[in-house]
Amino acid sequence: MEVLFDSNSHKNVMFSDLTKGDMIQANQHVIIDNTESMILDPGGSKVYSRLFSHLADVTNPNKLKYIFFSHQDPDIVSSSNSWFTITEANAFLSQLWIRFMHHFCIDDYVKNRITPIPDEGMTIKLGESELLVIPAHFLHSAGNFQVYDPISKILYSGDLGASFGNDYVVVEDFDKHIPYIEDFHKRYIPCSGVIQKWLETIKNLDIQIIAPQHGAVYIGSSVKRFLEWLRVLRCGVEIM
Ligand code: FE
């Protein structure tokens, strides 16, 4: 577990080593404000029991308030039945993906426990804090959201910034990091226009850390380097 931010009442932690075997590495992030907590992208059903037990190190797992699903991928939503059964948490997911949840998630859970996020985003009140749900559509999913936490100044970027195959949790040297992010961003992001739109959306946010769902986090100067790299990236239909 890595602690990304900690004040007396507000804490941001990351679990980076709960995915095992052949499954794609994924981070599970938790934001705790006072007595309330939210998990972001809790991982698939094989990660669920490990995350649930480790959660007890930072907060009362039974009192989990929210679960945030950035998009619909199996490494994010496939554990939802278990979380809804064992906790009283409610979840957030793009309105685009709600009807797909019925394929594997109990109907009552989908209807009563998941708030559809409108395309323009929303805010989530957690404890005394207010989290911003930022639209990041087509990065890579058609209905995709990120969370900005104004207290820790962390942008939880979902799959954007994801790295694969690296063995470190913080990006120290951005140039050496590029080979671990390049293939994914070029193939999964449909075109550079969606990146430009997103850059416009986040331009006024004070971002100290970008924390993706996969691989290493970007802190300080590597945040700036990553955004510069992304600004000129050609991807998807432009290069296929
Ligand atoms: Fe994904």
Side-chain angles (χ1 to χ4, degrees), residues 9-191:
S9 55
H10 194 88
K11 195 170 183 177
N12 301 63
V13 301
M14 170 172 100
F15 296 94
S16 61
D17 59 357
L18 303 183
T19 42
K20 311 279 183 204
D22 292 335
M23 71 175 79
I24 193 165
Q25 187 278 338
N27 303 318
Q28 296 80 42
H29 293 283
V30 185
I31 306 174
I32 303 134
D33 190 283
N34 293 285
T35 56
E36 297 187 354
S37 58
M38 176 167 96
I39 307 180
L40 294 92
D41 294 346
S45 42
K46 290 179 176 175
V47 175
Y48 158 74
S49 55
R50 276 193 287 270
L51 179 59
F52 187 80
S53 61
H54 280 80
L55 205 55
D57 299 339
V58 290
T59 186
N60 182 345
N62 297 308
K63 291 213 170 140
L64 181 71
K65 174 111 176 167
Y66 294 127
I67 303 167
F68 179 82
F69 300 127
S70 64
H71 60 292
Q72 83 293 359
D73 275 350
D75 56 338
I76 293 168
V77 295
S78 67
S79 60
S80 48
N81 276 323
S82 304
W83 286 104
F84 289 137
T85 301
I86 207 92
T87 73
E88 290 179 3
N90 290 316
F92 299 90
L93 173 68
S94 163
Q95 59 178 1
L96 260 64
W97 299 122
I98 299 288
R99 56 191 173 163
F100 292 80
M101 295 293 285
H102 290 279
H103 273 269
F104 60 92
C105 194
I106 293 168
D107 285 344
D108 281 349
Y109 288 163
V110 180
K111 278 186 218 138
N112 303 323
R113 309 276 296 272
I114 307 180
T115 300
I117 308 172
D119 270 354
E120 64 272 22
M122 60 188 291
T123 57
I124 297 172
K125 190 152 172 25
L126 183 74
E128 303 291 307
S129 70
E130 193 162 82
L131 306 167
L132 309 183
V133 178
I134 309 279
H137 305 309
F138 304 108
L139 295 169
H140 62 90
S141 170
N144 188 52
F145 291 95
Q146 302 172 341
V147 169
Y148 177 70
D149 173 2
I151 295 179
S152 63
K153 302 190 191 319
I154 297 174
L155 177 68
Y156 291 97
S157 61
D159 281 344
L160 197 66
S163 57
F164 302 96
N166 49 299
D167 56 5
Y168 47 85
V169 292
V170 174
V171 179
E172 303 285 355
D173 182 333
F174 183 76
D175 292 311
K176 288 193 179 138
H177 188 60
I178 291 172
Y180 300 112
I181 60 177
E182 201 165 28
D183 290 352
F184 175 77
H185 289 77
K186 283 184 169 173
R187 182 62 183 86
Y188 281 73
I189 297 177
C191 63

